Amino acid sequence: MALITLRRNLCHLSDFRIHGALAALKNHPVIHVHKVAEERLCPWFCSPQSEPFKVRFHHGCCKKFHSENGNDLHPVGEPVFSQAHDWDRPEQNLKSVDDQMFYRRLNNFTSSEEVLSFISTLQTLPDTLAAGALQRICEVEKKDGDQKLPKEILKNSVFQALCIRCEQESSSLPDAVLVTALHALTLLHVDPQSSLLLNLVAECQRRLKRGGLEVHSLCILGESLIQLQGPGCATLELIIYQLQGEKLEEFTPEDIVGLYRILQACTEKVDQHQAFLNKLNNFSLSIVYSLSPTLMSQMISALVVLDQTQALPLVIKLGKYAVRHIPHFTNEELRKVLEAFIYFGHSDRFFTKALEQHVASVCLTLDPEVMSKVMEYCSRKQILSKPILDAVAETFVCQSEKFLPHQISELIEPFGKLNYLPPNASALFRKLENMLLTHFNYFPPKTLLKILHSCSLIECHPVNFMAKIFSPCFLQKLQGEELYLDKLSLAQLTQLFLTSVLECPFYKGQKLLPKYQVRSFLTPCSSLETPLDFQLYRSVKIGLIDLLGARLYFASKVLTPYCYTIDVEIKVDEEGLVLPFTVREDVHKR
């Protein structure tokens, strides 16, 4: 196995900079180098410096180099100089490192500086561990949310040595090391056209065409190429073809989810891969129990993107096992799981119970987007969960400033739809009213209408805003560039107007113009009324025919003057006799 020596015996000299290719210098007494490692690395990550500076290597410090694979990498028999004191370097006498201990130490580090500092204390470093170090740097930088590596990391001689080694020795790296290094550097936003990545990609493609790459390496390579070249690259098709030829039983759960992620990127070819997806969905049922929270979230999210509505058994099983992971999901992972359940129309009472406990305990720290998704889940599935609704109401009162307009709408709408007033209703709607009064023009017109309409459904009538929303100016904004207002908005406006007439007779402000009023709230796709349960209606109809003697003694779907639709209407005269529904005179009761 090739080893790299990471010495710092020159780093303490201010005018010296160690280059990864020191072997080329061993026979030269004095060499002036005008392009140093920093300039060589710059095109990989950022724009190069405008003015190069000189670096001088002295023969006395670079006499002899060796490595286990025959490449000259470090001087033999030379004293090791260090910038750190002895007490700063407990590993200074370490000659090699056990793999498990290495990765354990590596995973404990929380910054790139810590990783590189640890690496610099080692005299030798196997290829696999070098790639592992790059992978860890990638992980900690992703956690920080930075899109590019900091300059101090780019200038670090240890990091430069790792990168230069990957470029120069790509042909001799083991498969797993090669694809891991490519994946890490891809996620660190290395320039795809840099010589470093071009060399690594070319070597990966050579080995792919030759065949023999293991499943795990194929999955990592596929995701890397998607990042670098997009889902349309020809090499990706070859990777998917080779993965389809492997036995799914030999895949690890990580590889199965990696395969889902690859297929997720190729949504335009879902039909082409559907037969394989069916096989993959069926097999995945057997590994659900072993998925981590992250893998479970990624799998169910991929099913949404790939529109696998026929994989409902897998969704149900994922929902069953997601129950135990709810406290361990990150905000983003929980959001994806809820999004998937909403998409597939799935709900589980055990999941809902666990969700109630989780939201109630961490509501003040939940991400606003997650909280709005929780409320959407309850609203869509008509789950009247008092613990969730109460926790959300309390959070909004305490932290209303952190919610965006669309999130506020998603939080308030379920209260109206589920007809529920939380214990702190007065504080909740007072906070909402103050926010709307202060930021009225900040809310998109349709979002504002949804909020006010939801308030009216639970008898919190927005009297202070009716004049504004019935005004021609607001209605024009609501219509936007469309020729007509959509039916749902018209129905909401009409319902608010009827509220002002029937529930708020003291309101004397702007009225809604007749042209914006609808005759019926029962409209296809966007009805304000609960859809008719046809099975229940059929049972009622059969019973009424049997009771009354004929179908003509009751009417169905009768529109009232107040825009609501009656499911069944029976007309009775003064003596209590039932009249045919066609009769318009002598009707005493309906």
Side-chain angles (χ1 to χ4, degrees), residues 335-386:
R335 185 190 66 78
K336 287 181 178 178
V337 170
L338 289 167
E339 202 170 61
F341 285 176
I342 292 168
Y343 182 83
F344 290 111
H346 175 67
S347 64
D348 180 283
R349 64 190 179 92
F350 297 107
F351 179 86
T352 303
K353 186 69 177 175
L355 189 64
E356 286 177 347
Q357 295 172 355
H358 180 65
V359 171
S361 61
V362 299
C363 59
L364 294 176
T365 58
L366 271 183
D367 184 77
E369 195 63 35
V370 177
M371 194 165 288
S372 61
K373 197 60 66 177
V374 169
M375 291 296 277
E376 185 182 353
Y377 169 74
C378 291
S379 178
R380 290 283 190 92
K381 302 308 298 178
Q382 296 192 8
I383 300 170
L384 178 54
S385 170
K386 293 182 180 181

Side-chain angles (χ1 to χ4, degrees), residues 268-457:
E268 70 282 354
K269 296 181 180 178
V270 170
D271 293 339
Q272 179 182 329
H273 299 138
Q274 190 57 58
F276 179 60
L277 271 168
N278 292 338
K279 181 181 175 183
L280 184 61
N281 294 337
N282 290 332
F283 175 77
S284 295
L285 287 165
S286 65
I287 65 164
V288 168
Y289 75 94
S290 63
L291 294 177
S292 67
T294 299
L295 293 178
M296 184 171 288
S297 170
Q298 290 175 352
M299 179 182 284
I300 200 166
S301 180
L303 292 175
V304 171
V305 176
L306 293 166
D307 191 30
Q308 296 298 289
T309 51
Q310 74 278 12
L312 198 56
L314 179 57
V315 174
I316 293 171
K317 194 164 186 178
L318 284 166
K320 177 182 175 182
Y321 281 91
V323 173
R324 65 184 181 185
H325 289 317
I326 284 180
H328 311 294
F329 283 127
T330 64
N331 281 329
E332 181 63 15
E333 289 166 358
L334 180 57
R335 185 190 66 78
K336 287 181 178 178
V337 170
L338 289 167
E339 202 170 61
F341 285 176
I342 292 168
Y343 182 83
F344 290 111
H346 175 67
S347 64
D348 180 283
R349 64 190 179 92
F350 297 107
F351 179 86
T352 303
K353 186 69 177 175
L355 189 64
E356 286 177 347
Q357 295 172 355
H358 180 65
V359 171
S361 61
V362 299
C363 59
L364 294 176
T365 58
L366 271 183
D367 184 77
E369 195 63 35
V370 177
M371 194 165 288
S372 61
K373 197 60 66 177
V374 169
M375 291 296 277
E376 185 182 353
Y377 169 74
C378 291
S379 178
R380 290 283 190 92
K381 302 308 298 178
Q382 296 192 8
I383 300 170
L384 178 54
S385 170
K386 293 182 180 181
I388 289 177
L389 294 171
D390 291 348
V392 168
E394 188 62 39
T395 303
F396 183 76
V397 171
C398 298
Q399 302 176 349
S400 59
E401 66 284 347
K402 75 176 185 179
F403 293 95
L404 298 174
H406 77 276
Q407 292 168 346
I408 294 174
S409 174
E410 289 163 355
L411 255 59
I412 299 299
E413 281 186 77
F415 288 101
K417 185 173 182 179
L418 299 171
N419 193 29
Y420 178 70
L421 277 173
N424 66 338
S426 59
L428 172 67
F429 291 104
R430 186 165 56 249
K431 176 68 75 171
L432 178 63
E433 183 177 16
N434 290 337
M435 178 169 277
L436 293 179
L437 286 171
T438 308
H439 305 288
F440 185 86
N441 293 325
Y442 182 64
F443 282 77
K446 285 192 178 181
T447 301
L448 185 64
L449 179 58
K450 286 179 183 178
I451 294 172
L452 298 178
H453 175 258
S454 299
C455 292
S456 71
L457 293 178

Side-chain angles (χ1 to χ4, degrees), residues 134-173:
L134 281 175
Q135 186 70 27
R136 185 57 185 161
I137 291 171
C138 163
E139 290 169 359
V140 296
E141 291 300 328
K142 277 186 71 178
K143 285 180 182 177
D144 292 339
D146 295 329
Q147 292 298 307
K148 291 185 179 180
L149 278 176
K151 287 185 179 179
E152 55 269 20
I153 301 299
L154 292 177
K155 293 180 180 180
N156 187 289
S157 58
V158 178
F159 180 74
Q160 292 172 356
L162 288 172
C163 291
I164 292 169
R165 177 186 180 188
C166 288
E167 180 180 2
Q168 293 182 338
E169 301 184 21
S170 59
S171 59
S172 62
L173 295 175

Side-chain angles (χ1 to χ4, degrees), residues 16 25-31 56-65 75 78:
F16 288 176
L25 311 177
K26 65 180 180 180
N27 296 320
H28 299 274
V30 178
I31 296 180
R56 178 170 297 169
F57 291 94
H58 287 273
H59 175 78
C61 293
C62 306
K63 288 180 181 177
K64 298 178 182 178
F65 297 80
E78 291 297 327

Side-chain angles (χ1 to χ4, degrees), residues 16-236:
F16 288 176
R17 177 76 66 171
I18 295 181
H19 196 285
L22 291 177
L25 311 177
K26 65 180 180 180
N27 296 320
H28 299 274
V30 178
I31 296 180
H32 298 272
V33 183
H34 294 272
K35 282 190 175 181
V36 295
E38 180 185 2
E39 293 174 316
R40 183 171 182 176
L41 280 176
C42 274
W44 298 345
F45 297 89
C46 57
S47 301
Q49 303 259 342
S50 57
E51 293 185 7
F53 54 90
K54 296 182 180 180
V55 174
R56 178 170 297 169
F57 291 94
H58 287 273
H59 175 78
C61 293
C62 306
K63 288 180 181 177
K64 298 178 182 178
F65 297 80
H66 83 277
S67 72
E68 289 187 9
N69 68 350
N71 293 326
D72 294 336
L73 293 171
H74 69 277
V76 177
E78 291 297 327
V80 180
F81 299 95
S82 171
Q83 289 178 313
H85 298 291
D86 289 343
W87 46 266
D88 284 331
R89 300 188 61 207
E91 302 89 359
Q92 62 181 342
N93 295 321
L94 196 59
K95 301 299 181 185
S96 62
V97 66
D98 176 76
D99 285 15
Q100 289 185 355
M101 188 196 78
F102 177 87
Y103 283 113
R104 191 162 56 247
R105 290 288 304 275
L106 211 58
N107 290 331
N108 287 333
F109 297 134
T110 57
S111 70
S112 300
E113 290 83 359
E114 289 178 350
V115 175
L116 294 171
S117 176
F118 171 61
I119 296 298
S120 69
T121 64
L122 307 177
Q123 290 187 349
T124 57
L125 187 67
D127 291 325
T128 52
L129 304 189
L134 281 175
Q135 186 70 27
R136 185 57 185 161
I137 291 171
C138 163
E139 290 169 359
V140 296
E141 291 300 328
K142 277 186 71 178
K143 285 180 182 177
D144 292 339
D146 295 329
Q147 292 298 307
K148 291 185 179 180
L149 278 176
K151 287 185 179 179
E152 55 269 20
I153 301 299
L154 292 177
K155 293 180 180 180
N156 187 289
S157 58
V158 178
F159 180 74
Q160 292 172 356
L162 288 172
C163 291
I164 292 169
R165 177 186 180 188
C166 288
E167 180 180 2
Q168 293 182 338
E169 301 184 21
S170 59
S171 59
S172 62
L173 295 175
D175 293 344
V177 175
L178 179 67
V179 296
T180 300
L182 174 64
H183 188 59
L185 293 168
T186 300
L187 295 178
L188 288 171
H189 302 280
V190 179
D191 180 7
Q193 299 304 314
S194 67
S195 59
L196 172 61
L197 277 192
L198 289 175
N199 283 344
L200 293 179
V201 170
E203 181 60 31
C204 287
Q205 288 174 332
R206 278 194 292 271
R207 297 189 193 188
L208 178 66
K209 291 175 183 176
R210 197 166 61 225
L213 284 181
E214 294 182 351
V215 166
H216 188 62
S217 296
L218 286 170
C219 291
I220 294 176
L221 178 58
E223 292 194 76
S224 300
L225 291 177
I226 289 168
Q227 290 282 332
L228 290 171
Q229 301 175 1
C233 67
T235 309
L236 189 61

